[in-house]
Amino acid sequence: MLTRRHLRIKVLQALYAFFQSENDRVDVAERQLLQSLEKIYDLCIYHLSFLIELNEFAAQRLEEGKLKHRPTPEDLNPNLRFVKNSLIYQIKRNRDFQQRADSLKIHWNDQENLIRKIYNQLKETTMYQQYMNAPVTGFKQDKELVVYLFNELVVNNNVVQFIYEEKNIFWTNDQHTENLKITRTSFTDEDTINYADREIVQKLYKRYADEDGNLEILCEEDSIYPENDYYFAAYIVNKILRDWREISDEYTPLPPLLRSLPGDENDKEFMQMLFRKTIIHKAKFNEIVSKHAQNWELDRIATMDILIIQIALTELTQFPSIPIKVSMNEYIDLAKIFSTPKSSQFINGLLDKMVAELKEDKTIVKTGRGLLE
């Protein structure tokens, strides 16, 4: 279910952690990479379990309504459409889901306030009211409501994110905070502003520096981005919900996280090869980068930029069936996500030069559909 974009990101994250730790145990790092994928699926099971819990909370509220001292006709004959939602019912009965949920020992006993809040929010939505009051509904409408509930009220809930973050040791959400003390000479020192956006700092300096030419800025770097494990899990849950069929039964297995097909279509092998060969060829690729990065010493290029280029060169040279344009576009996009605003242009220019040379000396050779550039 994960796309190749997701897999490339996981490899990028794993390699960054590996090189930063200066660890020499490639096998341990690779095992952690694969374990991180399993943790993503764990988050998916939590998401599905949360939807079931919302459904069961609704059923409990209806039962409590019948026990009121003076129940209304609506309390005595409640609308059961959401409580009997067929998609949630099927997921709840699914043997594969049950086994995974049991192994994680999932419970929501301490989150009743959150569940009540989201359920009350759901009841106020136009989508829910139209669903509950429609003359006729079926599996299609049941699915549409669950997908709406998940995407509009669950995924973007900050409390839900916080709870899930604590359950996934591989999903880091650290905030880096640093006090930058800026002087007139700071902008000629490459190490002074090591992660803050230089152009923004320059503008702040021009406006707010004191008469002695000094400025202190509190900078925060937040690692929350839409390409972390939490949103990978949300992507997978959406796939599960949208692909679920009315004829599915309790024995229908949940879809696998990775494709297991021959050759380059095998996702696990793709990840392992990309991870291992980037480490193996690191020194060689650094020589190539140094050769083409005119007026730039290797240690002056951002660490993430270097890493993205190394992985890109690995894919370009070691995976003959992946088209050059596909690899180029993927890693330029990753630079836009994980590096500085200007990194994508810098990496694009470098890769263009290096690809031309590597094609000429036959280091890059594409076969089959890879010939379509």
Side-chain angles (χ1 to χ4, degrees):
M1 283 184 295
L2 286 175
T3 67
R4 283 296 170 93
R5 168 69 61 86
H6 294 137
L7 302 185
R8 290 180 175 99
I9 288 174
K10 294 305 295 180
V11 171
L12 172 65
Q13 293 170 334
L15 285 168
Y16 182 84
F18 176 77
F19 290 136
Q20 290 296 305
S21 68
E22 298 181 352
N23 186 5
D24 59 356
R25 290 293 303 275
V26 177
D27 59 330
V28 173
E30 184 179 308
R31 188 159 59 248
Q32 289 177 339
L33 167 61
L34 297 176
Q35 288 174 349
S36 73
L37 294 181
E38 291 302 318
K39 289 293 181 179
I40 294 176
Y41 217 130
D42 290 350
L43 283 177
C44 296
I45 301 303
Y46 270 94
H47 273 311
L48 295 173
S49 173
F50 191 79
L51 294 174
I52 292 172
E53 189 70 19
L54 282 166
N55 179 265
E56 293 180 346
F57 179 84
Q60 183 181 345
R61 294 286 80 77
L62 295 185
E63 289 301 315
E64 291 174 354
K66 295 178 182 180
L67 300 176
K68 288 180 179 178
H69 181 62
R70 293 183 177 178
T72 66
E74 184 179 353
D75 290 329
L76 296 173
N77 296 285
N79 187 335
L80 301 176
R81 187 164 286 170
F82 176 63
V83 169
K84 293 188 175 182
N85 183 282
S86 57
L87 175 56
I88 292 180
Y89 176 74
Q90 286 190 12
I91 295 172
K92 183 179 179 179
R93 293 179 66 247
N94 183 270
R95 296 292 184 92
D96 194 1
F97 166 78
Q98 289 176 353
Q99 183 177 4
R100 291 172 182 267
D102 289 344
S103 68
L104 294 170
K105 296 179 171 58
I106 298 175
H107 68 85
W108 300 101
N109 301 336
D110 55 345
Q111 298 300 332
E112 184 173 335
N113 289 337
L114 172 62
I115 292 165
R116 177 185 293 106
K117 181 178 180 180
I118 293 179
Y119 174 61
N120 289 335
Q121 289 174 342
L122 175 65
K123 291 197 298 182
E124 296 298 319
T125 64
T126 302
M127 178 75 174
Y128 177 84
Q129 293 169 7
Q130 290 177 344
Y131 167 79
M132 296 296 284
N133 296 321
V136 179
T137 60
F139 186 79
K140 179 176 181 290
Q141 290 74 28
D142 286 351
K143 179 188 292 190
E144 288 174 350
L145 181 77
V146 175
V147 170
Y148 172 85
L149 166 62
F150 178 67
N151 288 297
E152 298 300 324
L153 300 179
V154 176
V155 172
N156 295 320
N157 186 288
N158 292 331
V159 178
V160 173
Q161 292 185 30
F162 176 77
I163 293 170
Y164 289 176
E165 179 187 356
E166 290 190 323
K167 299 180 185 301
N168 183 6
I169 62 173
F170 291 97
W171 173 33
T172 56
N173 184 32
D174 298 330
Q175 285 189 328
H176 179 83
T177 303
E178 180 176 342
N179 277 308
L180 294 181
K181 295 181 179 179
I182 310 300
T183 66
R184 291 188 179 92
T185 61
S186 295
F187 300 101
T188 60
D189 183 354
E190 292 293 330
D191 294 328
T192 300
I193 305 173
N194 54 9
Y195 72 95
D197 189 295
R198 183 174 295 272
E199 294 179 1
I200 294 176
V201 173
Q202 286 177 322
K203 291 178 182 178
L204 290 172
Y205 180 81
K206 290 178 182 178
R207 178 172 294 188
Y208 297 111
D210 61 26
E211 58 185 20
D212 295 324
N214 299 316
L215 176 66
E216 185 170 328
I217 303 174
L218 176 65
C219 294
E220 292 186 354
E221 180 182 46
D222 193 347
S223 68
I224 294 180
Y225 46 86
E227 285 74 24
N228 62 32
D229 289 0
Y230 180 82
Y231 288 99
F232 287 0
Y235 168 86
I236 295 167
V237 172
N238 268 295
K239 285 282 293 178
I240 291 174
L241 295 177
R242 295 179 191 278
D243 293 347
W244 202 284
R245 303 174 64 191
E246 187 173 5
I247 62 173
S248 299
D249 61 24
E250 61 188 294
Y251 298 103
T252 302
L254 295 178
L257 195 65
L258 303 175
R259 291 177 302 174
S260 299
L261 299 173
D264 288 344
E265 296 301 318
N266 186 300
D267 287 339
K268 182 178 179 180
E269 290 183 8
F270 169 79
M271 290 184 65
Q272 290 174 313
M273 286 182 61
L274 191 60
F275 181 80
R276 295 171 187 170
K277 293 194 174 186
T278 300
I279 296 172
I280 292 171
H281 297 292
K282 176 184 177 182
K284 180 177 72 174
F285 290 152
N286 280 346
E287 291 180 7
I288 299 173
V289 174
S290 297
K291 176 181 177 182
H292 290 277
Q294 296 178 356
N295 303 320
W296 283 91
E297 297 293 335
L298 198 62
D299 58 5
R300 291 184 61 200
I301 302 176
T303 301
M304 185 59 74
D305 290 359
I306 289 289
L307 181 55
I308 291 173
I309 293 171
Q310 290 169 346
I311 303 174
L313 289 174
T314 301
E315 185 170 315
L316 286 162
T317 59
Q318 304 298 314
F319 293 83
S321 65
I322 301 179
I324 290 175
K325 285 186 178 179
V326 170
S327 299
M328 291 277 288
N329 290 338
E330 282 294 308
Y331 291 101
I332 291 168
D333 284 347
L334 292 192
K336 295 176 183 177
I337 297 169
F338 291 99
S339 201
T340 65
K342 295 182 179 179
S343 290
S344 60
Q345 295 178 345
F346 174 71
I347 290 174
N348 189 16
L350 269 183
L351 285 177
D352 277 339
K353 297 176 184 177
M354 291 184 284
V355 166
E357 178 182 304
L358 294 173
K359 286 171 63 178
E360 186 174 343
D361 65 16
K362 305 299 183 184
T363 302
I364 293 179
V365 178
K366 297 295 180 178
T367 60
R369 62 186 176 92
L371 294 173
L372 301 175
E373 298 180 18

